[in-house]
Amino acid sequence: MARERSTTRREALSMDVGFVGLGAMGRAMARRLLAEGHPVRVWNRSPEPVAELVRAGASAAGSLAEAFEAPVVLSMLADDRVVESLLLDEELLAGARAAVHVNMATVSPALARRAAELHARHGLAYVAAPVLGRTDVAAAGNLNILAAGPSAELDRLAPLFEAMGRRTWPLGEDPAAANVAKIGANFLLVSAIEAFSEAAALAEANGLDPAALLEVLTNSLFPGPVYAGYGAMITQQSFEPAGFRLALGLKDVNLALDTGAASQVPLPLASLLRDALLQAVAHGHGEADLAAVSTTSRARAAI
Amino acid sequence: MARERSTTRREALSMDVGFVGLGAMGRAMARRLLAEGHPVRVWNRSPEPVAELVRAGASAAGSLAEAFEAPVVLSMLADDRVVESLLLDEELLAGARAAVHVNMATVSPALARRAAELHARHGLAYVAAPVLGRTDVAAAGNLNILAAGPSAELDRLAPLFEAMGRRTWPLGEDPAAANVAKIGANFLLVSAIEAFSEAAALAEANGLDPAALLEVLTNSLFPGPVYAGYGAMITQQSFEPAGFRLALGLKDVNLALDTGAASQVPLPLASLLRDALLQAVAHGHGEADLAAVSTTSRARAAI
Amino acid sequence: MARERSTTRREALSMDVGFVGLGAMGRAMARRLLAEGHPVRVWNRSPEPVAELVRAGASAAGSLAEAFEAPVVLSMLADDRVVESLLLDEELLAGARAAVHVNMATVSPALARRAAELHARHGLAYVAAPVLGRTDVAAAGNLNILAAGPSAELDRLAPLFEAMGRRTWPLGEDPAAANVAKIGANFLLVSAIEAFSEAAALAEANGLDPAALLEVLTNSLFPGPVYAGYGAMITQQSFEPAGFRLALGLKDVNLALDTGAASQVPLPLASLLRDALLQAVAHGHGEADLAAVSTTSRARAAI
Amino acid sequence: MARERSTTRREALSMDVGFVGLGAMGRAMARRLLAEGHPVRVWNRSPEPVAELVRAGASAAGSLAEAFEAPVVLSMLADDRVVESLLLDEELLAGARAAVHVNMATVSPALARRAAELHARHGLAYVAAPVLGRTDVAAAGNLNILAAGPSAELDRLAPLFEAMGRRTWPLGEDPAAANVAKIGANFLLVSAIEAFSEAAALAEANGLDPAALLEVLTNSLFPGPVYAGYGAMITQQSFEPAGFRLALGLKDVNLALDTGAASQVPLPLASLLRDALLQAVAHGHGEADLAAVSTTSRARAAI
């Protein structure tokens, strides 16, 4: 396996990549591809990020269609709506020379199913490969990549994934599965934040320093980046700058709820999170870090 | 500091300990004290565990009063009610020779406050030192001990705590704070289990193997024993033997809610957990492992 | 005022009405208009209901455009999506001779706002007039009509509303307000059903006949049709035939949640109702009466 | 039946009644008994209400034991704890000449079961007869009385119930059933208030006057005193004077939850109400009217 990978890697040096969507995550990921020697032609709705990437060695695609002339196209767009309007386009796909489109955004499994079917109709493979990790993780090439789609395509894409991530998790042939995994991960993330927020309010009201509680927890039951990172923001009630915007967390919880509704799976904890996040938005914390949902636990208790 | 500890440790070799409450946890902890050379006189309501510990080198206290003749008494009883009826006894405390009583059970901060006051009235120090870890962790002397009470007492108790735990977390002078920390930790534990249970149901209904989801999560956002251990039981839907009984988890969530009510801190997530746990009890899972709360997520979705 | 009304009524005898959407409610309402002497030209996607209404004295519109040649058009379609695709059509509205379009369906206030703006652009007035009451109430002309829009239009429409309803509730100039009122009413309806469902489960598990509880309640605190009607179905656990389909109730609760999300108003009770309804759908009760949400309360308690 | 009643009524004129607990409700009820010609000996912990009732024609019992010398004793105490400490007293019951004790307070079915057993052991019948109605309703003799206990006792008590209530609802032989009914009624009451509170917040944020919404609702789906009365307080955000104190509403919702827990019936709506009421208490509304729980819906939405 290790040998096979390194072979693939060598071959990949000549792999031409189209990259669509140069937000903060997209830029960091495209830079990693360039750093590993992949020629990248980039496209973005606004021109500034394109110019930035061109300075870093990318070429600029004059249109989406031009980006889809590369054999492999990666996209990292904001949400279902943007993907739908830009990429699920009969004309674009009919004219594409690309063999595979890898959608790395956090979108619904319903969109993945529609996309896979539409791509297949036009002879393209569709791979879903959403990622775990913020922009700093992306910049370091340390993302966890949750990938699902035709296994031959996943093999072919391995060198690109290796350029961007520390590990790729193959989740089967059905692209939707990767989106479900990403949605599940973010749902657990927000759950952990709400749980610690409530515990911190309980602690504070009962004479226990939430920071002391956090130290115990992260050194015993709950190691890892989530409790430590968000926990510190919560104990300090400091939510700027936003590593993960609260409004995006609400979008992701809504994805979980919509996916649950479509598959008849009630998710009462996701409902609770949605209400708490919505309350935080109503109180002006939509652009703050996700950890600002903790303001709601404090407000309930008049702390 | 290290030197001071080792001195204390030497002195502790002659520290006589009374130990009340020989359930599975109490037995494992008392054995650790014996293993580290502390003379232990044990008391328990039923005689069998006493006999077992005597075989292991303990002496049997003929009565609670006799256990309270030791300079230090540790207790590990089931809940508030049992502690209240057995140990918050004017006569017992009035006649005690013990200088300090260390309550290591998971009880309410309200009980801790009453206990501290009652002990003080009779000249005893009261320390709360609930623990994180199941019986296997206790047997290995690897508990995390959450300790709060007069700091001089915490210093004096260090060698006993070291015999039982891998680390002691001092949480201040107010014993109630340690109970709040323990309640908070268990609340987060059950929260994590419910969150993964809902995510697993969502995964299963959408063609993603919950075990694959779990593998991604525990290798990225959520390392540590909680997600891995309970997650495996959930993906296998296997809840026997019970490492942590579901009925006890319900008791602990109720402690969180009662503590919240007493301090006017609403905890909607704890309310949700209580309802899910109660549903699991209604369906016969009270004696199964806490992970059996996941049956509720599946039942909601008719999986 | 009474005199003015009767004048308007006389004039209305010659008022030509287009009617779009002949589901069970639409048919009953169109028949009432015919019964009061209003010429009605009907349109429906499937032909059978058109034929039925023609036998009852209506004329058939050959197209939507033909229906919109009448000075007043009433529509009673299924939901936002259907209204959007059929009626929020630039071409249709540009060519319409109608002066006013009265949307009597239960749709979102967001749709009402878009519709009002689009109609205005084409010189039509837009009135929202959703109704309270099932088909039997509609057939008897006893609906409660929640009407909002330009007040001159509401005056002009009075005779039509009187033909269909026992009372019209004017809710201001902004059509969206009427939709909010309807959504609020249905949210309260489902809330009352869930509350009684939980109380009935509690009663049953504690030796109190839920029917006895219902009798007390409907004769004291909770008179009126909701508790009595749905309560009886719940105490008998009999949900056929469906007077109000559970799936429609879920649609309406989702409208409440979407409206709340758009206006940053968390509605935790609506979230709870959504989860309970979704669970009932997952268990096969989507086509049963709304009262079947009570199966969820019983399932939780293993009754 | 009517004849039988009037006979019983005549006989009752000589029925001597002990009355324990002269809070606002107890005083109003005892006065009704006096007004209908029943001799009443009253007992209360504080003396002022006793003096007031003596001025109204009652006699003062020098002790609880003296009150229990009457053949029938009615009690109207605050809660489980007070009933338990004052009346579930072996000595008191052993020495009582009373044949029946009628507990009219809102207490748990668990207490009713313990009480019935204890009374039986001492040869007394125990009847539970909690009431629906506030003090003004009690003063007018218009309570709804929910009565359960031995049917011969219910017959015998009819004239007393008729003096206090507009209707008596016999709920079987098991006293606990009456308490379950009362708890269920109050749970529905708080549910209705929360539902309207959320709907009112949604209305307000969407340009619909909550008072207009209320007018529609109370004239269509939701007639009766609950929606109209609490609804008006909510639309006016005016919560003084408190007809039904919010803290008491929280006590009653806790009774529902405790009863649910004891009988393994999850009540998620009651959990939601508890959290909302607790939040209102945390914000200083515990002594305001129950309608003040609506402040919570507004706070969530930053209204």
Side-chain angles (χ1 to χ4, degrees):
Chain A
M1 181 69 179
R3 198 153 13 130
E4 202 178 352
R5 282 258 162 121
S6 78
T7 311
T8 314
R9 189 152 213 168
R10 251 197 321 279
E11 291 168 3
L13 290 177
S14 58
M15 203 185 286
D16 191 19
V17 179
F19 201 106
V20 172
L22 297 174
M25 284 298 286
R27 288 200 302 278
M29 291 156 72
R31 279 174 181 280
R32 287 295 309 156
L33 295 172
L34 291 167
E36 293 289 317
H38 302 285
V40 181
R41 59 180 81 176
V42 298
W43 186 90
N44 194 64
R45 273 192 293 190
S46 62
E48 298 81 1
V50 172
E52 179 187 329
L53 266 287
V54 166
R55 284 193 299 273
S59 61
S63 65
L64 269 173
E66 227 178 285
F68 272 73
E69 282 171 7
V72 175
V73 180
L74 274 52
S75 68
M76 191 63 174
L77 295 167
D79 55 27
D80 277 37
R81 205 180 46 75
V82 177
V83 172
E84 190 113 38
S85 69
L86 288 182
L87 304 186
L88 299 195
D89 181 286
E90 299 270 359
E91 202 178 336
L92 173 69
L93 297 178
R97 284 198 213 147
V100 58
H101 169 207
V102 186
N103 184 350
M104 305 190 75
T106 298
V107 295
S108 70
L111 181 100
R113 291 184 195 110
R114 282 201 306 280
E117 200 235 359
L118 186 66
H119 282 67
R121 224 186 301 144
H122 294 288
L124 277 81
Y126 179 83
V127 168
V131 301
L132 298 179
R134 300 176 172 197
T135 51
D136 53 340
V137 177
N142 279 332
L143 295 169
N144 279 282
I145 300 175
L146 316 182
S151 62
E153 298 299 334
L154 297 188
D155 286 349
R156 174 147 69 135
L157 294 163
L160 300 181
F161 290 158
E162 278 165 27
M164 297 181 289
R166 71 167 188 87
R167 189 153 169 188
T168 300
W169 301 89
L171 294 168
E173 298 266 334
D174 175 14
N179 297 113
V180 174
K182 174 64 197 281
I183 289 169
N186 279 13
F187 163 55
L188 260 76
L189 172 67
V190 187
S191 296
I193 295 171
E194 170 68 20
F196 182 69
S197 298
E198 295 192 13
L202 186 68
E204 187 156 343
N206 282 277
L208 171 66
D209 180 0
L213 173 61
L214 181 63
E215 202 197 349
V216 172
L217 292 169
T218 52
N219 283 284
S220 54
L221 299 177
F222 297 107
V226 170
Y227 291 89
Y230 290 97
M233 285 188 270
I234 292 167
T235 57
Q236 296 157 25
Q237 290 287 296
S238 158
F239 312 120
E240 314 286 350
F244 185 172
R245 284 191 306 117
L246 191 142
L248 271 183
L250 176 54
K251 179 209 118 183
D252 289 353
V253 168
N254 278 326
L255 275 179
L257 286 167
D258 291 346
T259 304
S263 51
Q264 303 186 348
V265 179
L267 301 169
L269 178 44
S271 292
L272 184 155
L273 299 177
R274 180 182 184 273
D275 289 325
L277 290 163
L278 189 54
Q279 178 169 342
V281 169
H283 286 261
H285 301 294
E287 299 306 305
D289 191 89
L290 189 46
V293 73
S294 63
T295 56
T296 300
S297 291
R298 295 167 64 87
R300 285 184 203 115
I303 292 178
Chain B
M1 181 68 181
R3 198 152 13 130
E4 201 180 352
R5 280 259 162 119
S6 78
T7 311
T8 315
R9 189 151 214 169
R10 249 197 323 278
E11 289 169 5
L13 290 176
S14 59
M15 202 186 287
D16 191 17
V17 179
F19 201 104
V20 172
L22 296 175
M25 284 297 287
R27 289 202 300 279
M29 291 156 72
R31 278 174 181 278
R32 287 294 310 155
L33 294 172
L34 290 167
E36 293 290 316
H38 302 286
V40 182
R41 59 180 81 177
V42 298
W43 185 91
N44 194 63
R45 273 192 291 189
S46 61
E48 296 80 1
V50 172
E52 179 188 328
L53 264 287
V54 166
R55 283 192 300 273
S59 61
S63 65
L64 270 174
E66 225 177 287
F68 273 73
E69 282 172 7
V72 175
V73 179
L74 273 51
S75 66
M76 191 62 174
L77 295 167
D79 55 27
D80 277 38
R81 204 180 48 76
V82 177
V83 172
E84 190 113 37
S85 70
L86 287 182
L87 303 185
L88 300 195
D89 182 287
E90 298 271 359
E91 201 178 338
L92 173 70
L93 298 178
R97 283 197 212 146
V100 58
H101 169 205
V102 186
N103 185 349
M104 305 190 76
T106 299
V107 295
S108 70
L111 181 101
R113 291 185 194 108
R114 282 202 305 281
E117 202 235 359
L118 187 67
H119 282 67
R121 224 185 301 142
H122 293 288
L124 276 81
Y126 179 82
V127 168
V131 300
L132 298 179
R134 298 177 173 196
T135 50
D136 54 339
V137 178
N142 279 331
L143 295 169
N144 280 281
I145 299 175
L146 316 181
S151 63
E153 298 299 334
L154 297 188
D155 286 348
R156 173 148 70 136
L157 293 163
L160 300 181
F161 290 157
E162 279 166 26
M164 296 181 287
R166 73 167 186 88
R167 190 153 168 188
T168 301
W169 300 89
L171 294 168
E173 299 264 333
D174 175 14
N179 297 112
V180 173
K182 173 65 197 281
I183 288 169
N186 279 14
F187 162 55
L188 260 77
L189 172 67
V190 187
S191 297
I193 294 171
E194 170 69 19
F196 182 69
S197 298
E198 296 193 13
L202 186 68
E204 187 156 344
N206 282 278
L208 171 64
D209 179 0
L213 173 61
L214 181 63
E215 202 197 349
V216 172
L217 292 168
T218 52
N219 283 284
S220 54
L221 299 177
F222 298 108
V226 169
Y227 291 88
Y230 289 98
M233 285 189 269
I234 292 167
T235 58
Q236 296 157 23
Q237 290 287 297
S238 157
F239 313 119
E240 314 284 350
F244 184 172
R245 285 191 305 117
L246 191 143
L248 270 183
L250 177 53
K251 178 208 120 183
D252 289 353
V253 168
N254 278 327
L255 275 179
L257 286 167
D258 291 346
T259 304
S263 51
Q264 302 185 351
V265 179
L267 301 170
L269 178 43
S271 292
L272 184 155
L273 300 177
R274 179 182 184 275
D275 288 325
L277 290 163
L278 189 55
Q279 178 168 343
V281 169
H283 286 260
H285 301 294
E287 298 306 306
D289 191 89
L290 188 46
V293 74
S294 63
T295 56
T296 299
S297 290
R298 294 168 65 87
R300 285 184 203 114
I303 293 178
Chain C
M1 181 66 180
R3 201 155 8 132
E4 202 180 351
R5 281 261 161 120
S6 77
T7 312
T8 315
R9 188 152 214 168
R10 250 196 322 279
E11 290 168 4
L13 290 177
S14 59
M15 202 187 284
D16 192 18
V17 179
F19 201 106
V20 172
L22 297 174
M25 285 298 286
R27 289 201 301 279
M29 291 156 72
R31 279 174 181 280
R32 288 294 310 156
L33 295 172
L34 291 166
E36 294 288 317
H38 302 286
V40 181
R41 59 179 82 175
V42 297
W43 186 90
N44 194 63
R45 274 192 292 189
S46 62
E48 298 81 1
V50 173
E52 179 188 329
L53 265 288
V54 167
R55 284 192 300 273
S59 61
S63 65
L64 270 174
E66 226 178 285
F68 271 73
E69 283 172 5
V72 176
V73 180
L74 274 50
S75 66
M76 189 64 173
L77 295 167
D79 55 26
D80 277 38
R81 205 180 46 77
V82 178
V83 172
E84 191 112 37
S85 69
L86 288 182
L87 304 185
L88 300 195
D89 181 287
E90 299 270 358
E91 201 178 337
L92 173 70
L93 297 178
R97 285 198 212 144
V100 58
H101 169 207
V102 186
N103 185 349
M104 305 190 75
T106 299
V107 295
S108 71
L111 181 101
R113 290 183 196 111
R114 281 201 305 281
E117 202 235 359
L118 187 67
H119 282 67
R121 224 185 301 144
H122 294 289
L124 277 81
Y126 179 83
V127 168
V131 300
L132 298 178
R134 298 176 172 198
T135 51
D136 54 339
V137 177
N142 279 332
L143 295 169
N144 279 281
I145 299 174
L146 316 182
S151 63
E153 298 299 335
L154 297 188
D155 286 349
R156 174 147 69 134
L157 294 163
L160 300 180
F161 290 158
E162 279 165 26
M164 297 181 288
R166 72 168 187 83
R167 190 154 170 188
T168 302
W169 301 88
L171 294 169
E173 299 265 333
D174 175 13
N179 296 114
V180 174
K182 174 64 197 281
I183 288 168
N186 279 14
F187 163 54
L188 262 76
L189 173 66
V190 186
S191 297
I193 293 171
E194 170 69 19
F196 182 69
S197 298
E198 295 192 14
L202 186 67
E204 188 156 342
N206 281 277
L208 171 64
D209 180 359
L213 173 61
L214 181 63
E215 202 196 350
V216 172
L217 292 168
T218 52
N219 283 284
S220 55
L221 298 178
F222 297 107
V226 170
Y227 292 89
Y230 290 97
M233 284 189 271
I234 292 167
T235 57
Q236 296 157 25
Q237 288 289 296
S238 157
F239 312 119
E240 313 286 350
F244 185 172
R245 285 191 306 118
L246 191 143
L248 271 183
L250 176 54
K251 179 208 118 183
D252 289 353
V253 169
N254 278 328
L255 275 179
L257 286 167
D258 291 346
T259 305
S263 51
Q264 302 185 350
V265 179
L267 300 170
L269 178 42
S271 292
L272 184 155
L273 299 177
R274 180 181 183 276
D275 289 324
L277 290 163
L278 189 54
Q279 178 169 343
V281 169
H283 286 260
H285 301 294
E287 299 306 306
D289 192 89
L290 189 47
V293 74
S294 63
T295 56
T296 300
S297 291
R298 295 167 65 87
R300 284 184 204 115
I303 293 179
Chain D
M1 180 69 178
R3 200 154 10 132
E4 201 179 354
R5 281 258 161 121
S6 79
T7 311
T8 316
R9 188 150 215 169
R10 250 197 322 280
E11 289 170 3
L13 290 177
S14 58
M15 203 186 285
D16 191 18
V17 179
F19 201 106
V20 172
L22 296 174
M25 284 298 287
R27 290 201 301 279
M29 291 157 72
R31 279 174 180 279
R32 287 295 309 156
L33 295 172
L34 291 167
E36 293 289 317
H38 303 286
V40 181
R41 61 179 80 176
V42 298
W43 185 91
N44 194 62
R45 272 191 293 188
S46 61
E48 297 81 1
V50 173
E52 180 189 327
L53 264 288
V54 166
R55 283 192 300 273
S59 61
S63 65
L64 269 174
E66 226 178 285
F68 271 73
E69 283 173 5
V72 175
V73 179
L74 273 51
S75 67
M76 191 63 173
L77 294 167
D79 56 26
D80 277 37
R81 205 180 47 74
V82 177
V83 171
E84 190 112 37
S85 69
L86 287 182
L87 304 185
L88 299 195
D89 182 287
E90 299 271 359
E91 201 178 339
L92 172 71
L93 297 178
R97 285 198 211 145
V100 57
H101 169 207
V102 186
N103 184 351
M104 304 190 76
T106 299
V107 294
S108 71
L111 182 101
R113 290 184 195 110
R114 282 202 304 281
E117 201 234 359
L118 187 67
H119 282 68
R121 223 185 303 143
H122 294 287
L124 276 81
Y126 179 82
V127 168
V131 300
L132 299 178
R134 298 175 173 199
T135 51
D136 54 339
V137 177
N142 279 331
L143 295 169
N144 279 282
I145 300 174
L146 315 182
S151 63
E153 297 300 333
L154 297 188
D155 286 348
R156 174 147 70 135
L157 294 164
L160 300 181
F161 290 157
E162 280 165 26
M164 297 181 289
R166 73 168 186 86
R167 190 154 167 187
T168 301
W169 301 89
L171 294 169
E173 299 265 332
D174 175 13
N179 296 113
V180 174
K182 174 64 197 282
I183 289 168
N186 279 14
F187 163 54
L188 261 76
L189 172 67
V190 186
S191 296
I193 294 171
E194 170 69 19
F196 182 69
S197 298
E198 295 193 14
L202 185 67
E204 188 155 343
N206 281 278
L208 171 65
D209 179 0
L213 173 61
L214 181 63
E215 201 196 351
V216 172
L217 292 169
T218 52
N219 283 284
S220 55
L221 299 177
F222 297 107
V226 169
Y227 292 88
Y230 290 98
M233 285 189 270
I234 291 166
T235 57
Q236 295 156 25
Q237 289 287 298
S238 157
F239 312 119
E240 314 283 350
F244 184 171
R245 285 191 306 117
L246 192 143
L248 271 182
L250 177 53
K251 178 208 119 183
D252 289 354
V253 169
N254 277 327
L255 275 178
L257 286 167
D258 291 346
T259 304
S263 51
Q264 302 186 348
V265 180
L267 300 170
L269 178 42
S271 292
L272 184 154
L273 299 177
R274 180 181 183 274
D275 289 324
L277 290 163
L278 189 55
Q279 178 168 343
V281 169
H283 286 261
H285 301 295
E287 299 305 306
D289 191 89
L290 187 47
V293 74
S294 62
T295 55
T296 300
S297 290
R298 293 168 65 86
R300 283 184 204 117
I303 294 179

